[in-house]
Amino acid sequence: MAQGKVEDVYRANCASCHGAEMEGGSGGALADGVWKHGAADAEIANAISQGVPEAGMPAFGQSLSPELIRALVVYIHEKEKAFDQSGKTSTPKLPAGPVQTKYATHIVEPVVTGGLETPWALAFLPDGRKLVTEKPGRLRILDENWKLEPKPVAGTPAVVVSNQGGLLDVAPTPDFEQSGWIYLSYSAPSPGDAKSSMTKISRGQIAGNKWTDEETIFEADPKHYTKSGVHFGSRIVFDRGHVFFSIGERGDKDKAQDIGLPNGKIYRLLPDGKIPADNPFADRKDALAAVWSYGHRNPQGLVVDPRDHAIYETEHGPRGGDEFNRIRKGANYGWPVVCFGMNYNGTPLTALTENEGIEPPLHHWTPSIGTCGLAFYNGDKFPEWKNDFFVGGLRGSLHRLRVVYGKVTEDEVVLQGAGRVRDVHCGPDGFLYVVLNNPDMIVRLVPEGAESGGEK
Ligand code: HEC
């Protein structure tokens, strides 16, 4: 299928994961001279044609000719050489001055620029401290002035760090001041095999700098643990006495349609992990009673609209078809039967972009933006953005969505090229906080004119 110039083939098939300049993304850098699967031409060609399916590298041997795969190897070497000479490929940069958007002009202020490795999620505590997860398995505390506690919290759960797996979301309960509970999601090792993993949700407390009183809120049966390193999902939100969280399909797409399997679902539980009696499948023998909705691929954004308590979600599509959904009780979101995207290697996935009984997305992105992190803006610093949604993209963009009567009426990029957007939150101070990877930092959007001493 894919013909023509190697640059175009690369851009169409590879750039979404390896970066436009091969600087790396969800797939590693190809231009940095570091080869996990061998540096020889034949080994690179083999990685491209066979893929590394369990790590999320698709096989291209069916869709690209041997000649094109050879051309890609040559093209990778050219980029490698350029990388050697410059010492680096294109570096993401924070905007130097004010960024003018449709309704507001903002300054991007760095708040944490060092000391964090692949920060994944940010949470605000009522006393002004913040919690940050680092994917390699550390929970960090920042004080009210964003100063990083040098030591990670001791005794947090063991995680399997491979590809997309690690310590993922962190969320204190709305009644944290009384209860002290903090929820974590992570790729937990299988009891029988330390290399297999599955998304697990635990809660615990922080005493001093220690993780204590840990309790399991949700874990899958050990038979569902897998060596796959992709699609953990894992965002956690709370609403009116319930905890909601997402688990991706772990790279096994058909499982998302089976309500008896843990893959590709959004869950709803009581805070202690018990099943609410009014869950949609609570009485079905063939279902996991914790399931709230199904047919999800890799949901890495979840938020509650505080006005009507509706749950909104973003999920990664395959190649194209990233989605923004309003989550309804018991609904099927279609993956992999209905989707706007196609397979990574360019082969078709499905002809259906809609179907009976399938909840359509409110909005979708093709090409993919790599949706990760979702916030609802209810602060007072950007009055024009009140009640808008902010969607992070791992390809380096932050989108503002306006939803009017259940329809997305605006999709505006308000930040671009600063790094991979991993998480986004409206802070208690009304500024918009963005967690970036590559470079690893936390920044905030501040209205122009409010930047000096504007934190009050
Ligand atoms: C869906 C994301 C994705 C796409 C699309 C993708 N890759 Fe990959 N690729 C990965 C991941 C993830 C790895 C790392 C595998 C591992 O860690 O074992 C990888 C690994 C590789 C490797 C081996 C690197 C090494 O260190 O040995 C090569 C070569 C490679 N990719 C080339 C390509 C080319 C060329 C394309 C396009 C034709 C492509 N990839 C498309 C995700 C992707």
Side-chain angles (χ1 to χ4, degrees):
M1 43 135 305
Q3 294 302 327
K5 289 171 63 184
V6 69
E7 290 86 349
D8 299 332
V9 174
Y10 178 83
R11 202 175 311 119
N13 293 278
C14 323
S16 61
C17 295
H18 290 290
E21 297 295 322
M22 304 192 189
E23 74 279 16
S26 63
L30 296 176
D32 61 356
V34 181
W35 295 104
K36 196 167 157 184
H37 298 278
D41 283 8
E43 290 168 313
I44 299 172
N46 189 56
I48 301 170
S49 82
Q50 304 298 309
V52 192
E54 68 284 0
M57 166 68 194
F60 289 90
Q62 297 291 319
S63 56
L64 301 180
S65 66
E67 293 78 10
L68 259 178
I69 291 177
R70 172 64 202 160
L72 280 164
V73 174
V74 175
Y75 185 50
I76 290 170
H77 285 319
E78 286 174 7
K79 288 281 176 189
E80 224 178 344
K81 195 143 174 258
F83 185 91
D84 279 352
Q85 280 158 6
S86 69
K88 56 181 182 305
T89 51
S90 68
T91 330
K93 276 195 193 68
L94 295 186
V99 181
Q100 208 179 338
T101 68
K102 187 167 179 185
Y103 300 117
T105 300
H106 63 80
I107 309 278
V108 181
E109 280 187 358
V111 285
V112 184
T113 53
L116 292 175
E117 184 185 354
T118 323
W120 212 92
L122 167 68
F124 294 86
L125 294 177
D127 63 8
R129 290 180 301 161
K130 297 97 191 162
L131 299 174
V132 172
T133 52
E134 293 175 288
K135 188 168 139 307
R138 293 179 296 267
L139 178 63
R140 309 294 300 265
I141 301 177
L142 294 136
D143 74 8
E144 53 279 10
N145 301 312
W146 291 96
K147 200 169 145 285
L148 186 65
E149 171 68 42
K151 285 211 182 81
V153 176
T156 52
V159 303
V160 179
V161 186
S162 96
N163 199 356
Q164 298 170 7
L167 184 56
L168 304 172
D169 208 13
V170 54
T173 51
D175 70 347
F176 175 82
E177 271 172 308
Q178 293 82 49
S179 76
W181 286 119
I182 294 161
Y183 286 59
L184 293 175
S185 64
Y186 50 99
S187 56
S190 152
D193 170 7
K195 283 198 173 136
S196 290
S197 66
M198 185 62 183
T199 314
K200 177 170 171 176
I201 313 288
S202 295
R203 70 176 180 182
Q205 314 234 351
I206 294 178
N209 205 26
K210 281 206 187 72
W211 181 251
T212 65
D213 301 285
E214 184 179 306
E215 293 178 2
T216 295
I217 299 303
F218 179 88
E219 64 185 337
D221 189 282
K223 67 175 185 253
H224 300 302
Y225 284 60
T226 154
K227 290 204 165 56
S228 159
V230 300
H231 306 173
F232 293 90
S234 84
R235 293 291 178 189
I236 305 165
V237 296
F238 300 94
D239 184 59
R240 294 177 296 179
H242 294 106
V243 56
F244 292 83
F245 55 90
S246 60
I247 297 187
E249 37 75 307
R250 307 303 326 288
D252 208 340
K253 57 184 194 292
D254 296 326
K255 292 186 173 169
Q257 284 296 315
D258 187 337
I259 54 175
L261 297 175
N263 314 51
K265 308 293 181 312
I266 290 175
Y267 294 84
R268 176 192 192 237
L269 290 174
L270 298 172
D272 61 1
K274 293 203 178 73
I275 310 276
D278 60 345
N279 261 14
F281 307 117
D283 300 330
R284 288 254 305 252
K285 289 244 158 26
D286 59 338
L288 292 180
V291 168
W292 182 252
S293 65
Y294 65 108
H296 298 290
R297 187 171 178 276
N298 188 21
Q300 289 193 327
L302 204 59
V303 77
V304 181
D305 180 339
R307 296 169 299 176
D308 60 358
H309 303 277
I311 310 278
Y312 289 83
E313 174 255 27
T314 53
E315 66 180 69
H316 295 269
R319 186 162 140 200
D322 287 12
E323 297 182 355
F324 174 65
N325 291 304
R326 183 180 163 112
I327 299 302
R328 290 175 210 279
K329 177 179 181 175
N332 180 358
Y333 288 81
W335 176 253
V337 184
V338 172
C339 176
F340 284 88
M342 61 174 166
N343 285 316
Y344 280 116
N345 64 10
T347 56
L349 178 69
T350 171
L352 298 177
T353 56
E354 56 183 326
N355 206 7
E356 231 179 286
I358 305 266
E359 201 68 27
L362 294 186
H363 194 59
H364 67 96
W365 292 269
T366 301
S368 295
I369 63 169
T371 49
C372 196
L374 175 63
F376 179 83
Y377 188 79
N378 55 355
D380 55 5
K381 294 296 194 300
F382 292 100
E384 313 81 354
W385 288 351
K386 193 118 183 155
N387 301 330
D388 284 345
F389 291 85
F390 286 84
V391 177
L394 291 173
R395 297 190 73 179
S397 54
L398 177 67
H399 294 240
R400 181 185 61 81
L401 295 186
R402 180 154 295 179
V403 180
V404 181
Y405 294 120
K407 290 214 159 56
V408 174
T409 57
E410 294 179 23
D411 173 3
E412 182 192 20
V413 174
V414 296
L415 177 66
Q416 176 76 59
R420 293 159 62 71
V421 177
R422 182 60 77 180
D423 199 11
V424 51
H425 285 275
C426 172
D429 54 13
F431 297 131
L432 194 66
Y433 287 84
V434 183
V435 177
L436 298 172
N437 290 173
N438 192 14
D440 293 336
M441 59 196 293
I442 301 174
V443 302
R444 65 180 170 199
L445 274 49
V446 171
E448 187 185 25
E451 61 272 24
S452 49
E455 296 93 304
K456 297 289 136 22

